[in-house]
Amino acid sequence: MAAAVMVAVSRWYELVEAFRLIAGVRLAEMAVAVVFEALSITCFAAVPRQLLWVGGVRWRMRRMTAIAVAANAVAGALPGGAAFSAAWVFRQLRRRGVEQVLAATVLVLAGVLSAVSLFVLLVVGMFTVGSAGPGAVVRPVVGVLALALGTGAVVFCLSRFTGFRRGVRRTWTGAGLRSGRIQKAQHALVRMVDQARDVQPGFRPWL
């Protein structure tokens, strides 16, 4: 309480400004925002739930939504919260009987789908708002995501060549032979990839 009072006194102007902004909020617009936020959280929970169902774990939407809301709270409350949030969700899945490889696969696939969705939204936003204002902030983020997706596409294209696959396999095997920990991580990664290949819900559920 003493710390809260000190912050309130030292940041008095900011608190007054925040109160002024909150007092000017229109209830109708806020209600629309709340509805869209609730839909967003629901979708955020529906994706891993669908992946769990494909993996043979039947969860109710209520349980997955509760975990998604709590994970968002962790991500927003801690520095570097996204990493803590992912670790916390993984622990919750394991505590509730989800097999380790399936839990990791669900988190990875849900993260990939989130990144692709974010990329699409940012591209739409960039073309909507133009180069001024918010566009100046959106453009670098879109560039980073486009670079990441482009790099992934290049690696995927190179993987079609036998020589490239042979070189990667040789490097992969050599790293495993030099370190037991790396070899253990390799086995876990192979299992996760196999699990990801098994998680094939079909075109409509993916969409």
Side-chain angles (χ1 to χ4, degrees):
M1 290 180 66
V5 171
M6 290 178 62
V7 171
V9 171
S10 61
R11 302 281 184 171
W12 179 253
Y13 175 78
E14 295 178 15
L15 292 175
V16 171
E17 183 66 14
F19 179 79
R20 186 185 66 79
L21 292 172
I22 293 173
V25 170
R26 299 176 182 178
L27 293 180
E29 294 178 356
M30 185 175 69
V32 172
V34 168
V35 169
F36 276 106
E37 183 68 20
L39 289 173
S40 175
I41 292 292
T42 302
C43 293
F44 194 69
V47 171
R49 175 178 177 267
Q50 177 69 32
L51 294 172
L52 285 173
W53 271 60
V54 175
V57 178
R58 307 295 182 184
W59 273 20
R60 293 184 178 181
M61 191 64 188
R62 180 178 179 181
R63 172 185 283 186
M64 197 69 241
T65 304
I67 291 179
V69 172
N72 267 355
V74 173
L78 298 175
F84 288 106
S85 174
W88 184 84
V89 172
F90 179 80
R91 184 180 179 187
Q92 296 306 311
L93 294 175
R94 294 288 293 128
R95 284 180 61 186
R96 287 161 176 79
V98 178
E99 201 267 331
Q100 183 175 358
V101 176
L102 177 60
T105 304
V106 166
L107 285 177
V108 171
L109 291 179
V112 170
L113 291 173
S114 263
V116 172
S117 302
L118 177 62
F119 177 73
V120 172
L121 287 174
L122 287 174
V123 169
V124 172
M126 186 177 67
F127 284 110
T128 302
V129 302
S131 59
V137 179
V138 171
R139 192 176 297 277
V141 180
V142 172
V144 171
L145 288 174
L147 179 63
L149 291 176
T151 303
V154 169
V155 172
F156 177 77
C157 292
L158 289 174
S159 67
R160 315 305 293 177
F161 295 98
T162 306
F164 179 80
R165 292 200 303 269
R166 194 173 298 156
V168 171
R169 191 178 298 113
R170 192 181 303 116
T171 304
W172 171 275
T173 305
L177 293 175
R178 284 192 295 270
S179 172
R181 290 185 178 181
I182 294 178
Q183 192 174 50
K184 187 180 295 185
Q186 287 175 343
H187 290 321
L189 183 60
V190 168
R191 289 180 62 202
M192 189 177 73
V193 171
D194 291 338
Q195 181 74 56
R197 287 175 177 171
D198 293 337
V199 178
Q200 297 290 341
F203 178 73
R204 287 185 180 179
W206 274 128
L207 188 61

